[in-house]
Amino acid sequence: MGLALGAALYTPGSRQDFANKILSGQYSRDAFAGLTTLIVCLEDAVADSQLLEAEENVVQELKKLEKAKVFQLEAGPALFLRIRNAQQLDKMTALCGTSLSVLTGIVFPKCEPENLLAFFPALDRASAAAGRNLYALPLLETKEVLYSETRSQALQEIHEILLAEVDRVLTVRVGATDFSSLYGLRRPADRTIYDVHVIRDCLADVLNRFGRAEDGFTVSGPVYEHFSADRQGWLASIPEKVLWEEVQLDALNGFKGKTCIHPSQIMIVNAGYIVSLETYTDAALILSESDSHNGVLQSPTRNKMNEVKPHLSWAKKIAAQAEVYGVLNENFKPIDVLNHIRASQLSKQL
């Protein structure tokens, strides 16, 4: 399920129409087509002076959703609430009550060992009010995780806490914008986050700790904060080209899915996780032979070596990714999928 969160779009808690947009299907078509995760934010997206109004708005919007038909909710994206701290989650639990049941989970911001120990009991209380188990999306974005002298200990302590709760941690998320701000940095549109070496090194350490196959965590890629309004050819603008490059680097390094700040990013992110036919057939071969053969297998395309033992965990991940995002037909690439979708969207506008 964590893998299936895909491109996750943020919307401020002060937005007064998000319930109607979900129920009317607006978050499932046109510019929002392919959106599977919507995060309503009461933290950085809301000014301190507007917080009380935003909290009340979220309460009313969730209550609208609670009254809706089940099929209307199931047709929309999985809904999450990003809160500021455990105290605010308790406040929202008291105000929302059973309407928290429309949520899939809660985003925990600025996670450190101390506040994580408060977040999970608050999540228990929210789950009790909702009448269902709510999932956690912990977000790593503090100086303790970024600074080299504290990073190892912070990640170790956070890992120990999350590992004890791994069954309800859908994704571990990283905040590249918050990390960059700690050094007064902001990357331009033509650079990926991997070009900012101080951030790249931290991301590598996060993956080193949370990307291990035996633990079962899914780690989501950091936000790319630039977007393009160009609605003609895909990947024609610099922001779309760089986002596409960054998604490829995300996938290569082990991130699954990505935080988005604009609907134009959704399709690009999701397309980056479609599995090629060659990759899928290699994974399927390894899985089919894993019980009876643990040596070397020649790939179906006869261009690489498949070793059952060291490639088995990779093959399992590819099989899950293929089930969520699909497999390309032979001789097709993700850009072909994007072009097909864009052509379909344009034809509906004519």
Side-chain angles (χ1 to χ4, degrees):
M1 187 173 176
L3 177 63
L5 295 187
L9 186 68
Y10 272 83
T11 190
S14 55
R15 184 180 295 279
Q16 297 181 351
D17 61 347
F18 73 80
N20 288 334
K21 292 182 73 172
I22 292 173
L23 298 177
S24 65
Q26 291 184 56
Y27 277 126
S28 304
R29 62 175 184 264
D30 300 329
F32 296 96
L35 178 65
T36 54
T37 304
L38 182 66
I39 300 175
V40 178
C41 183
L42 285 173
E43 203 221 2
D44 289 343
V46 176
D48 294 342
S49 60
Q50 298 177 324
L51 182 58
L52 290 177
E53 293 179 11
E55 289 175 340
E56 180 58 30
N57 180 65
V58 169
V59 172
Q60 298 305 318
E61 294 295 288
L62 295 186
K63 288 182 177 179
K64 289 179 187 176
L65 292 173
E66 185 184 21
K67 296 176 182 178
K69 303 293 185 182
V70 173
F71 74 88
Q72 290 178 290
L73 297 176
E74 291 180 344
L79 189 63
F80 294 84
L81 178 65
R82 175 171 168 171
I83 41 79
R84 296 189 173 201
N85 48 50
Q87 292 75 22
Q88 187 185 41
L89 179 52
D90 280 331
K91 177 181 179 180
M92 297 303 292
T93 298
L95 293 172
C96 295
T98 57
S99 65
L100 289 180
S101 62
V102 303
L103 298 176
T104 299
I106 305 294
V107 179
F108 299 164
K110 298 176 173 57
C111 286
E112 300 173 356
E114 294 77 14
N115 62 17
L116 273 175
L117 293 175
F119 275 135
F120 279 105
L123 183 66
D124 289 335
R125 293 186 287 272
S127 296
R132 56 170 299 199
N133 291 325
L134 299 176
Y135 290 98
L137 273 65
L139 180 54
L140 309 182
E141 52 184 349
T142 64
K143 63 182 181 181
E144 287 77 13
V145 172
L146 178 60
Y147 293 168
S148 59
E149 65 269 26
T150 56
R151 183 185 308 156
S152 180
Q153 181 176 348
L155 287 177
Q156 179 180 346
E157 293 177 2
I158 292 170
H159 179 265
E160 289 175 356
I161 295 170
L162 295 184
L163 192 60
E165 305 281 359
V166 65
D167 289 341
R168 53 179 180 164
V169 176
L170 279 189
T171 59
V172 176
R173 311 186 78 83
V174 288
T177 302
D178 282 59
F179 282 157
S180 298
S181 72
L182 290 169
Y183 284 96
L185 300 174
R186 185 176 188 181
R187 56 179 163 146
D190 61 348
R191 295 286 187 174
T192 74
I193 196 63
Y194 297 93
D195 293 318
V196 186
H197 290 192
V198 69
I199 310 301
R200 177 201 63 189
D201 293 347
C202 180
L203 296 179
D205 285 345
V206 170
L207 286 169
N208 193 326
R209 179 65 66 171
F210 290 96
R212 302 174 188 184
E214 66 267 21
D215 288 343
F217 288 112
T218 298
V219 188
S220 180
V223 69
Y224 172 71
E225 61 197 55
H226 303 276
F227 58 88
S228 171
D230 182 12
R231 299 295 295 166
Q232 299 305 310
W234 282 104
L235 311 187
S237 66
I238 288 177
E240 288 192 347
K241 289 179 180 177
V242 176
L243 174 60
W244 179 246
E245 179 184 357
E246 187 165 295
V247 170
Q248 308 309 299
L249 292 170
D250 286 346
L252 178 64
N253 284 283
F255 287 116
K256 302 296 183 183
K258 195 174 186 68
T259 298
C260 295
I261 47 85
H262 192 269
S264 65
Q265 298 179 335
I266 295 169
M267 283 296 182
I268 296 175
V269 172
N270 287 340
Y273 290 94
I274 303 172
V275 178
S276 71
L277 181 61
E278 181 176 335
T279 297
Y280 180 74
T281 54
D282 283 329
L285 175 64
I286 292 167
L287 291 172
S288 67
E289 297 290 334
S290 60
D291 290 335
S292 59
H293 186 93
N294 59 11
V296 177
L297 301 169
Q298 188 177 56
S299 69
T301 51
R302 300 180 181 276
N303 62 357
K304 70 178 71 63
M305 175 182 65
N306 289 322
E307 294 187 76
V308 173
K309 285 184 178 179
H311 288 146
L312 184 57
S313 61
W314 168 85
K316 291 177 180 178
K317 287 188 175 183
I318 291 299
Q321 187 173 325
E323 185 172 349
V324 172
Y325 294 96
V327 180
L328 289 163
N329 284 313
E330 190 173 7
N331 300 320
F332 283 92
K333 298 179 180 180
I335 186 64
D336 298 312
V337 178
L338 289 172
N339 285 334
H340 175 77
I341 293 169
R342 178 61 56 81
S344 177
Q345 291 175 339
L346 292 176
S347 67
K348 293 179 180 178
Q349 296 174 10
L350 296 178

